[in-house]
Amino acid sequence: MITPPSPLGDQLERIERARAARRRRYVLQDEWITLSHGSGGKASRNLLDGLLLPGLGGAPLDGFDDAAVLPIGAAPARLAFTTDSYVVSPLFFPGGDIGSLAVHGTINDLATAGARPLALSLGLILEEGLDVVVLRRIVESIRTASAAAGVPIVTGDTKVVNRGKADQVFINTAGVGVVPNGVSLSGALVQPGDRVLLSGPVGDHGIAVLLAREALEIEADIRSDSAPLHRLAAAVLEASPQTRCLKDPTRGGVASGLNEIAQHAGLASAVDEGRIPVRGDVRAACEILGLDPLHIANEGKLIAIVPAAHADAALDAMRSDALGTEAAIIGEVLESPPDMVLVRTEAGGSRVLDMLAGDPLPRIC
Amino acid sequence: MITPPSPLGDQLERIERARAARRRRYVLQDEWITLSHGSGGKASRNLLDGLLLPGLGGAPLDGFDDAAVLPIGAAPARLAFTTDSYVVSPLFFPGGDIGSLAVHGTINDLATAGARPLALSLGLILEEGLDVVVLRRIVESIRTASAAAGVPIVTGDTKVVNRGKADQVFINTAGVGVVPNGVSLSGALVQPGDRVLLSGPVGDHGIAVLLAREALEIEADIRSDSAPLHRLAAAVLEASPQTRCLKDPTRGGVASGLNEIAQHAGLASAVDEGRIPVRGDVRAACEILGLDPLHIANEGKLIAIVPAAHADAALDAMRSDALGTEAAIIGEVLESPPDMVLVRTEAGGSRVLDMLAGDPLPRIC
């Protein structure tokens, strides 16, 4: 370590002085976002210090620096690193909003890598004219979701674009996590005979957003399932250490998730339609809209491919978690036809479950 | 480690088969981006496998997974983690484009944390109707910049929003790096008497973008200075291991950078106007436009605060790097007035250098 250039007390005093000065000087008095909030000048500081940092739970010590520095314990370590942008429309929907979604979605990508999430970054793209009340509500939601998941936001950036050049707010979160020694998850590790587990009913998120966005005459109490899956994933890995891979079936739904795994493995999977949980309201809405629940996005569901011998243990682990009480073993991995997913219907037939073609549900996350 | 479920040869063969299948099956035949390219279904795969992954230099082995897993060597390690979104307008400008900028800008935030950059993420937000030729050109630029810097793109995400809801392309890059043991940089470590170094002439990037965007009748050959600063930063740290802090003066320019350091330290700094390099064309354009070059964004310049005793060594290190040949010692740190930056003019006077108020230069990065 470099020798501190002055006694520690002096340093801390100086840091405290600087932090106090910041708290004193920057407040956000504007009602709307303007281009100057993206300038890197005083208005940017007013936004950062007057809304974003306090809204996220207080300025970190290194709030002035451009990168966060995180200790990551014992080594050799493996780092999981992921990113997602969020452009969901509308910004607020039953069960969540763009802020909580941006926290959960990126945590879930770390969780499916088998990682313990360490921290998130937050990149905001704001449209000139955005109501500051809307921004405050989103930041509050980010803070709440981050705190509940125990995964802090440690670095961020804000840009503002001209009115009409964005749609209120776009959010990017990136995430870093540590992959425990011994954990290795990949579609390439999947074996014929493995079991396919699903943590709960599908389609809630996509249908909730669709109903919130479109003026559809469908009366239904459907809430997004948006939730952080890292604890559920850790429980599965503890119960079944030889788990082959985990996947959160977001855009494109369970159909895309299973097809990606099949293609990655060069194998097939077959799932039983009757064993895939779908809520009655979601099923009804899908029928009216001509959608397959298996193509609808989820934001709080986990697919796990585990060796057959450990399937029951993994299922018990899922069901012991509040996010997996309706978990089920929905199918198994087959040698062929390679790269394909089959659905066995309740009538006794079988059909190919393809990836979504086209996009009935744009801007779902 | 988990025992591989089959001999390694089998595994590799399966992986190869899956990769070959992917190369075979997904091509991008569309001329414009549509909402379905953001659906998570087949069109998304066509875009990913037919343009993005090959454009970035080939699919990583774990191209199907949602997070990259990176080994990070010996420990206990400290990780630097940063993010920036890029909304620059126009997308292409002399000396760079939104793609190279997104690579350089995030590398530079890692560099100023004293980190060795490890990897970047890439989050694309595309506007429906975007010409695929434009996207190819940007992806090619990202690939070239990433390869030249030696910092790979390891994970990514693509969203598409409706026509008129974005401005062609927005990019977010996050970055992770490893902070070597012994390196600790922060504005809070700055001491009275420290010297202020600047790696070269200021204002090139901001003026280049401004002239490319506005139909101004100014004839000037000004190119963005966009460049990756991690090697320059490492050279400074090697020459002056007790360097207090590094800063890349982007939005808000050298004025904002120095003010942030002063506020973080609770100290002052004074710089000599005559020692701050500004190219003639940039100075002339600033005079015509009524702008202060010290408020203009840079994308390839480094401010270093170093102990006085090591200032010459740090200066030599900067000048030995191709990106620092015009480096200069531009001033020093003072005890007071706290949180302020002073400019000593060539006429012998002195003025307060404040942060930019308002925003003459929106969407400069």
Side-chain angles (χ1 to χ4, degrees):
Chain A
M1 287 297 292
I2 289 177
T3 310
S6 67
L8 190 61
D10 282 15
Q11 261 191 67
L12 291 178
E13 192 192 328
R14 179 169 314 127
I15 291 170
E16 262 316 302
R17 205 174 357 140
R19 296 177 74 180
R22 296 179 62 201
R23 280 192 293 270
R24 202 167 54 237
R25 288 161 49 166
Y26 295 99
V27 292
L28 185 73
Q29 295 180 315
D30 311 278
E31 287 179 54
W32 298 281
I33 296 298
T34 66
L35 286 170
S36 64
H37 289 118
S39 67
K42 280 188 178 172
S44 293
R45 294 302 308 280
N46 289 343
L47 176 62
L48 184 65
D49 292 351
L51 194 162
L52 297 175
L53 291 178
L56 293 170
L61 189 64
D62 286 332
F64 280 97
D65 295 329
D66 287 330
V69 174
L70 311 165
I72 50 170
R78 287 173 306 152
L79 196 71
F81 181 33
T82 189
T83 190
D84 260 324
S85 299
Y86 299 85
V87 299
V88 65
S89 172
L91 296 175
F92 303 93
F93 45 82
D97 58 68
I98 192 171
S100 53
L101 194 62
V103 171
H104 296 155
T106 295
I107 287 175
N108 293 350
D109 283 344
L110 294 174
T112 58
R116 181 174 57 80
L118 204 61
L120 301 179
S121 66
L122 175 67
L124 298 172
I125 297 177
L126 308 179
E127 183 187 8
E128 180 189 16
L130 176 69
D131 191 327
V132 167
V133 171
V134 170
L135 182 59
R136 277 191 201 281
R137 204 173 141 197
I138 292 167
V139 169
E140 174 63 27
S141 170
I142 290 170
R143 174 188 189 161
T144 304
S146 154
V151 185
I153 310 281
V154 297
T155 187
D157 173 64
T158 305
K159 294 292 190 305
V160 181
V161 299
N162 321 64
R163 197 183 293 261
K165 297 297 185 186
D167 195 4
Q168 297 188 278
V169 184
F170 299 144
I171 298 180
N172 177 285
T173 47
V176 290
V178 173
V179 184
N181 287 329
V183 171
S184 180
L185 300 173
S186 169
L189 299 175
V190 169
Q191 295 283 305
D194 288 347
R195 295 296 187 264
V196 180
L197 276 69
L198 176 64
S199 68
V202 299
D204 297 10
H205 175 76
I207 297 299
V209 172
L210 188 67
L211 295 183
R213 180 165 62 205
E214 314 290 345
L216 298 170
E217 295 295 317
I218 298 176
E219 296 240 352
D221 180 25
I222 299 171
R223 296 168 63 80
S224 168
D225 60 339
S226 178
L229 295 169
H230 56 312
R231 294 176 187 122
L232 180 65
V236 170
L237 291 176
E238 196 184 330
S240 168
Q242 291 187 33
T243 294
R244 315 298 194 194
C245 83
L246 299 174
K247 187 105 199 160
D248 59 326
T250 57
R251 281 184 293 178
V254 166
S256 281
L258 290 177
N259 269 282
E260 286 181 12
I261 294 169
Q263 290 172 27
H264 201 172
L267 295 170
S269 65
V271 297
D272 292 301
E273 199 161 45
R275 289 201 256 168
I276 298 171
V278 185
R279 293 189 203 290
D281 274 0
V282 170
R283 189 183 299 281
C286 282
E287 279 172 11
I288 293 170
L289 298 167
L291 299 171
D292 182 343
L294 295 177
H295 281 146
I296 307 298
N298 312 279
E299 292 290 347
K301 294 300 177 300
L302 190 66
I303 292 172
I305 313 287
V306 304
H310 305 147
D312 288 336
L315 182 65
D316 287 346
M318 276 192 176
R319 288 185 171 166
S320 302
D321 189 289
L323 294 175
T325 53
E326 298 173 69
I329 298 174
I330 63 167
E332 67 278 336
V333 176
L334 306 174
E335 184 72 44
S336 69
D339 305 344
M340 291 181 75
V341 180
L342 305 174
V343 176
R344 293 182 289 240
T345 62
E346 296 192 75
S350 173
R351 63 181 168 95
V352 172
L353 179 65
D354 208 349
M355 294 175 83
L356 181 67
D359 186 9
L361 296 174
R363 300 185 59 187
I364 215 71
C365 60
Chain B
M1 288 297 292
I2 290 176
T3 311
S6 67
L8 189 62
D10 283 15
Q11 261 191 66
L12 291 179
E13 194 190 326
R14 180 169 313 127
I15 291 169
E16 261 317 302
R17 205 174 356 139
R19 295 178 74 181
R22 295 178 64 201
R23 281 193 292 269
R24 204 166 52 238
R25 288 160 49 167
Y26 294 100
V27 291
L28 185 73
Q29 295 180 314
D30 312 277
E31 286 179 56
W32 299 280
I33 296 299
T34 65
L35 286 170
S36 64
H37 289 118
S39 67
K42 280 188 179 174
S44 293
R45 294 301 309 279
N46 289 342
L47 175 62
L48 184 66
D49 292 351
L51 194 162
L52 297 175
L53 291 179
L56 293 170
L61 190 63
D62 287 330
F64 281 97
D65 295 329
D66 287 330
V69 175
L70 311 167
I72 50 170
R78 286 172 307 151
L79 197 70
F81 181 32
T82 188
T83 190
D84 260 323
S85 299
Y86 299 85
V87 299
V88 64
S89 172
L91 296 175
F92 304 92
F93 45 82
D97 58 69
I98 191 171
S100 54
L101 193 62
V103 171
H104 296 156
T106 296
I107 287 175
N108 293 350
D109 283 344
L110 294 174
T112 57
R116 182 175 56 81
L118 204 62
L120 301 179
S121 66
L122 176 66
L124 297 172
I125 297 177
L126 308 179
E127 182 187 7
E128 180 188 17
L130 176 69
D131 190 326
V132 167
V133 171
V134 170
L135 182 59
R136 278 191 202 281
R137 204 174 141 197
I138 291 167
V139 170
E140 174 63 28
S141 170
I142 291 169
R143 174 188 189 162
T144 304
S146 153
V151 185
I153 310 281
V154 297
T155 187
D157 172 64
T158 304
K159 294 292 190 303
V160 181
V161 299
N162 322 64
R163 196 184 294 262
K165 297 296 185 186
D167 195 3
Q168 297 189 279
V169 184
F170 299 144
I171 298 180
N172 177 285
T173 47
V176 291
V178 172
V179 183
N181 287 328
V183 171
S184 180
L185 300 174
S186 168
L189 300 175
V190 169
Q191 295 283 307
D194 287 347
R195 295 297 187 264
V196 180
L197 275 69
L198 175 64
S199 68
V202 299
D204 297 11
H205 175 76
I207 297 299
V209 172
L210 187 67
L211 295 183
R213 180 165 62 206
E214 315 288 346
L216 299 170
E217 296 295 319
I218 298 177
E219 296 240 352
D221 181 25
I222 300 171
R223 297 169 62 80
S224 168
D225 60 339
S226 178
L229 294 169
H230 56 313
R231 295 177 186 120
L232 180 65
V236 169
L237 291 176
E238 197 184 328
S240 169
Q242 292 187 32
T243 294
R244 316 298 193 194
C245 83
L246 299 174
K247 186 107 201 158
D248 59 325
T250 57
R251 281 184 293 178
V254 166
S256 281
L258 290 178
N259 269 281
E260 287 181 12
I261 294 169
Q263 290 172 28
H264 201 172
L267 296 170
S269 65
V271 296
D272 292 301
E273 199 162 45
R275 289 200 256 167
I276 298 171
V278 186
R279 291 189 204 291
D281 275 0
V282 171
R283 189 183 299 280
C286 282
E287 279 173 11
I288 293 170
L289 297 167
L291 299 171
D292 182 342
L294 295 176
H295 281 144
I296 307 298
N298 312 279
E299 292 289 347
K301 294 301 176 299
L302 191 66
I303 293 172
I305 312 287
V306 304
H310 305 146
D312 288 336
L315 182 66
D316 287 347
M318 277 192 175
R319 287 185 172 166
S320 301
D321 189 289
L323 295 175
T325 53
E326 298 174 68
I329 299 173
I330 62 168
E332 67 277 336
V333 176
L334 306 175
E335 184 73 44
S336 69
D339 306 344
M340 290 180 75
V341 180
L342 305 175
V343 176
R344 292 182 289 238
T345 62
E346 296 191 75
S350 173
R351 64 183 167 95
V352 172
L353 180 65
D354 208 350
M355 294 174 83
L356 182 66
D359 186 9
L361 296 175
R363 299 185 59 188
I364 215 71
C365 61

